[in-house]
Amino acid sequence: MKAFSYERATSPADAASKAAVTPGAKFIAGGTNLLDLMKLEIETPSHLIDVNGLGVDKIEVTNNGGLRIGALVRNADLAADERVRRDYGLLSRALLAGASGQLRNKATTAGNLLQRTRCPYFYDTQQPCNKRKPGSGCSAIGGVSRQLAVVGASSACIATHPSDMAVAMRVLDAVVETVDAKGAARAIPIADFHRLPGEAPHVDTVLKPGELITAVTLPNPVGGKHIYRKVRDRASYAFALVSVAAIVQPDGSGRVALGGVAHKPWRVEAAEAELPRGAKPVTARLLADAKPTHDNAFKVTLAERALARVLAEARS
């Protein structure tokens, strides 16, 4: 790990302003992703700004009946919150499907959204990777790509976003709240928060330099059956090959998003009109632009079967 300096911020605006004027600065909270990347020298921040003392660690009811989740709320606490379990069961289930109990006790809401891909070539510093070193090439294209993207990828990157929580947030239409170096607040719909790779896969989100996540807001609860199904190689502590987050109403309508298939949680609202007809037409529209590799073409079929299982569970 390379040497770095360290300080504690006193407020969200203070943290954002410090990051904006300090080249190579990074925020640190739980550190469950950043510290691993620093040990491998994939991330080499020259300065760390500790944001744990900013007080943004509460879950509060909003004026319109939704929930405002502080950026520093730990994943374990969010999954266990009675209001989340009762009104946003999809989110609780997605959180409990991720990582391990020890990591969920440390990982934060904001950090979960910002975690970086688990593509093996991203983690192998001996291999070219446009996400790690822009312009160096993508070793995954033509390499081992079993776990990687089948849709939304580009000629520069076929990595996937690893978060379970973000897939549930996408179905729930969450909004990410931020503050910038000047103290200005911004509200970013989760649909717009993560970027597709294009020609700049090293830029994961639409956050500006120094911009700090302060909270994630959930709108009014959505009724119906909340289901999160994660298909993976191991029963625990493994990232999704395919995951399905769905809210299904008694008449068969609803919302659905996929994880493990793209650079961001994958939701195509137009496909949801097909839900009463079953998994096959929904998946056909969700993955209409899929360009799988030889290694991961199975994900298209796997997504359809996982969604079929979810719809069957919703009807039972």
Side-chain angles (χ1 to χ4, degrees):
M1 183 184 293
K2 292 190 175 181
F4 57 89
S5 54
Y6 169 90
E7 68 177 318
R8 293 177 179 172
T10 58
S11 70
D14 176 54
S17 62
K18 282 179 165 63
V21 300
T22 309
K26 290 277 186 180
F27 301 122
I28 187 165
T32 56
N33 189 204
L34 178 60
L35 289 177
D36 284 343
L37 295 174
M38 289 174 65
K39 291 172 184 177
L40 294 170
E41 296 189 6
I42 294 170
E43 293 277 8
T44 56
S46 59
H47 186 65
L48 290 183
I49 300 169
D50 191 327
V51 296
N52 280 293
L54 304 187
V56 289
D57 58 352
K58 306 291 191 300
I59 305 173
E60 302 168 310
V61 178
T62 62
N63 292 334
N64 63 1
L67 282 185
R68 187 174 187 269
I69 303 161
L72 295 174
V73 172
R74 308 294 163 166
N75 286 178
D77 294 333
L78 183 57
D81 186 89
E82 180 181 355
R83 295 159 295 185
V84 175
R85 294 174 62 191
R86 181 187 65 233
D87 297 329
Y88 305 94
L90 174 62
L91 177 58
S92 182
R93 293 181 176 95
L95 284 162
L96 292 173
S100 65
Q102 294 94 329
L103 286 172
R104 291 194 295 271
N105 286 338
K106 288 292 292 180
T108 63
T109 298
N112 193 306
L113 290 176
L114 294 172
Q115 64 182 305
R116 306 205 72 189
T117 182
R118 263 56 180 194
C119 173
Y121 297 102
F122 175 73
Y123 274 80
D124 184 350
T125 56
Q126 302 303 310
Q127 300 285 343
C129 172
N130 287 319
K131 183 174 280 291
R132 179 172 20 86
K133 185 178 180 181
S136 63
C138 176
S139 299
I141 297 175
V144 178
S145 55
R146 180 173 180 272
Q147 293 188 317
L148 303 180
V150 297
V151 68
S154 73
S155 59
C157 182
I158 59 171
T160 53
H161 194 270
S163 173
D164 294 287
M165 184 194 79
V167 186
M169 293 281 196
R170 179 69 179 89
V171 170
L172 293 168
D173 289 329
V175 175
V176 181
E177 298 180 8
T178 69
V179 64
D180 67 14
K182 296 181 180 178
R186 183 161 68 128
I188 308 168
I190 190 73
D192 302 327
F193 183 75
H194 295 104
R195 294 180 66 259
L196 291 178
E199 296 304 312
H202 60 290
V203 183
D204 294 322
T205 71
V206 297
L207 292 179
K208 298 176 290 187
E211 194 170 9
L212 176 72
I213 297 175
T214 55
V216 177
T217 302
L218 301 178
N220 288 340
V222 178
K225 286 200 174 182
H226 288 221
I227 301 172
Y228 187 77
R229 180 164 293 277
K230 181 177 182 178
V231 184
R232 47 187 163 175
D233 287 326
R234 300 190 306 275
S236 65
Y237 199 49
F239 297 98
L241 291 169
V242 168
S243 64
V244 178
I247 301 175
V248 185
Q249 304 299 335
D251 63 359
S253 64
R255 306 177 183 180
V256 63
L258 300 178
V261 299
H263 215 72
K264 61 189 289 186
W266 195 253
R267 183 181 176 194
V268 178
E269 282 84 344
E272 294 166 359
E274 305 287 351
L275 273 169
R277 295 180 55 210
K280 191 176 185 66
V282 177
T283 309
R285 295 196 68 176
L286 269 173
L287 300 178
D289 297 323
K291 296 179 180 178
T293 68
H294 174 75
D295 282 352
N296 64 19
F298 72 92
K299 285 193 176 191
V300 176
T301 302
L302 186 60
E304 180 186 324
R305 292 178 179 174
L307 178 56
R309 182 73 178 270
V310 164
L311 296 179
E313 183 178 342
R315 290 193 298 268
S316 64

